[in-house]
Amino acid sequence: MSLKILGSIAIVAGTAIGAGMLALPLATAALGFWQAIILMLVIWGLSAYTSLLMLEINLRSGVGDNVHVITGKLLGKKGQFIQGASFLSLLFALTAAYLTGGSSLLSLKAQTMLDMELSHGAAVLMFTLVLGGFAALGVAWVDKVSRLLFSLMILALILVVLFLLPEVSPSQMLKQAVTDDLGNAWLAAIPVVFTSFGFHVCIATLVRYLDGDTRALRKVLLIGSTIPLACYILWLMVTLGTVGGPEIHAFEGSLPKLVTALQAMVESDFISKAVSLFADLALITSFLGVTLSLYDFVAELTRAADTLAGRIQTWLITFIPPLLCALFYPDGFVAVLGFAAVPLVVMIIFLPIAMALRQRVSQPDGYQVSGGKLALALSGVGGLAIVFAQLWVAL
């Protein structure tokens, strides 16, 4: 396997693995381990299929076209507007979720390390100003910082999993949280799990990078999407199998409580710090990548000048909406991640299905993902189920 293919697999896996991983135990604790695994396998299958569908669309459109161009070719200006609005909504929602989760971890650190009470508002503002500033510095800076932090995050994750695995209790892992309505627990978990498999934004870039090599790209997408699945299963095993599903369910979506509980499971101070480091880096790396994309997208939409005044204007538009959400919805880490599933469904399920149907008529030759119209229909049903689940939970 060539280095380019290995690097591309790492890009797919790295795009998926991030702060959403921290939300998985909180979102699925009420289901129990095996039901959570079944849900993840179904969502992984849907995500893998839609990634191959997007690959089909990219290859037939032509190597070098980005998603915006392809959407315009096949669905016109209306399709581009829907795609752009969905992308903007997704990035705003993810930024708000990461601000909420990051500020809660910052408050926890201030309390445990400095014995200082840091209010939620102050923590949100500090997190935004310090780490949000990287978005305005440009991709070169974020790329260097992200590569280092992502490598450290993976190292911390490996250490945490290796040291917690011996502590896993099968009986603890299989315990199911006592809940009055298991149906609502399923509906709450579905959007969060789906968001955790959102790696599709890098497909057009990989098509260009691998020069449209269909076999290589299929391998990259299937292997790259399976790595997060394996990581998530291990993560659920060590969280539900040590702290326990009922206990995590009682945290009511609190990320600091989950981190503190995991730290209490290990006797080693070094591993306790590794748990904290992993949680911090998972949030920070995701935050940097998402906010850079959001900043660039806002700059392109507003056609802001590349001056100090222009950068400040773009920065304010980028951060004020998610900042307000984080300030007024302090416990919304898991909930806002779930909301992000709605624009993500539009971007990677509904629009690709519409484009594939049109493209298969106008351009019948070329790579086509297996399954035909039945697979497209099942994917559409899956997308509707995710949207329904999120709307049900929200209402």
Side-chain angles (χ1 to χ4, degrees), residues 25 69 107 114 121 178 208 216 218 225 245 255 260 316-317 365 368:
V69 170
S107 296
L114 303 175
V178 177
R208 290 195 300 271
R218 287 184 76 254
S225 63
L255 185 54
T260 302
L316 290 172
I317 296 171
D365 297 326
Q368 181 173 317

Side-chain angles (χ1 to χ4, degrees), residues 71-355:
T71 306
K73 280 183 180 180
L74 297 169
L75 302 178
K77 292 290 184 184
K78 289 181 179 178
Q80 283 184 321
F81 176 79
I82 294 170
Q83 189 266 339
S86 299
F87 188 58
L88 191 62
S89 301
L90 173 67
L91 294 181
F92 272 137
L94 291 175
T95 301
Y98 298 156
L99 284 177
T100 304
S103 61
S104 67
L105 291 180
L106 183 60
S107 296
L108 176 64
K109 276 200 163 18
Q111 188 175 35
T112 55
M113 296 175 65
L114 303 175
D115 195 24
M116 181 177 74
E117 288 290 334
L118 190 63
S119 71
H120 173 72
V124 170
L125 290 171
M126 285 177 63
F127 192 88
T128 305
L129 292 172
V130 174
L131 291 172
F134 278 95
L137 295 177
V139 66
W141 277 95
V142 174
D143 176 51
K144 291 172 185 175
V145 172
S146 293
R147 272 186 288 172
L148 172 62
L149 296 184
F150 184 77
S151 300
L152 290 173
M153 182 194 78
I154 294 298
L155 179 61
L157 174 60
I158 292 169
L159 285 172
V160 170
V161 170
L162 286 177
F163 276 83
L164 282 178
L165 270 177
E167 306 298 325
V168 170
S169 163
S171 60
Q172 183 81 318
M173 184 172 66
L174 298 176
K175 279 168 62 179
Q176 194 167 324
V178 177
T179 174
D180 295 332
D181 193 343
L182 190 58
N184 275 338
W186 272 91
L187 292 173
I190 288 170
V192 178
V193 174
F194 178 69
T195 304
S196 301
F197 282 96
F199 58 86
H200 301 63
V201 291
C202 65
I203 292 173
T205 303
L206 294 177
V207 170
R208 290 195 300 271
Y209 182 58
L210 294 176
D211 302 315
D213 185 335
T214 305
R215 285 190 64 187
L217 285 160
R218 287 184 76 254
K219 186 184 296 183
V220 163
L221 293 176
L222 292 175
I223 297 175
S225 63
T226 305
I227 291 172
L229 175 66
C231 291
Y232 295 160
I233 290 173
L234 281 172
W235 182 239
L236 282 186
M237 190 181 296
V238 298
T239 50
L240 299 183
T242 54
V243 180
E247 289 76 10
I248 293 175
H249 181 58
F251 296 160
E252 297 182 336
S254 171
L255 185 54
K257 288 180 180 178
L258 174 64
V259 173
T260 302
L262 286 172
Q263 288 178 311
M265 291 292 119
V266 292
E267 296 179 1
S268 166
D269 184 56
F270 175 72
I271 301 304
S272 177
K273 288 177 179 176
V275 171
S276 177
L277 181 66
F278 165 66
D280 294 340
L281 293 181
L283 263 163
I284 291 170
T285 52
S286 296
F287 178 80
L288 290 176
V290 166
T291 53
L292 175 66
S293 299
L294 178 56
Y295 180 91
D296 286 347
F297 192 67
V298 168
E300 187 179 332
L301 278 179
T302 60
R303 298 180 181 177
D306 192 15
T307 61
L308 179 61
R311 285 179 174 269
I312 291 173
Q313 172 192 304
T314 303
W315 192 92
L316 290 172
I317 296 171
T318 299
F319 284 100
I320 285 178
L323 180 62
L324 291 173
C325 178
L327 285 172
F328 292 104
Y329 197 19
D331 300 318
F333 176 61
V334 175
V336 179
L337 272 181
F339 171 79
V342 175
L344 188 61
V345 164
V346 175
M347 287 175 58
I348 71 173
I349 297 182
F350 294 158
L351 287 178
I353 288 173
M355 288 190 279

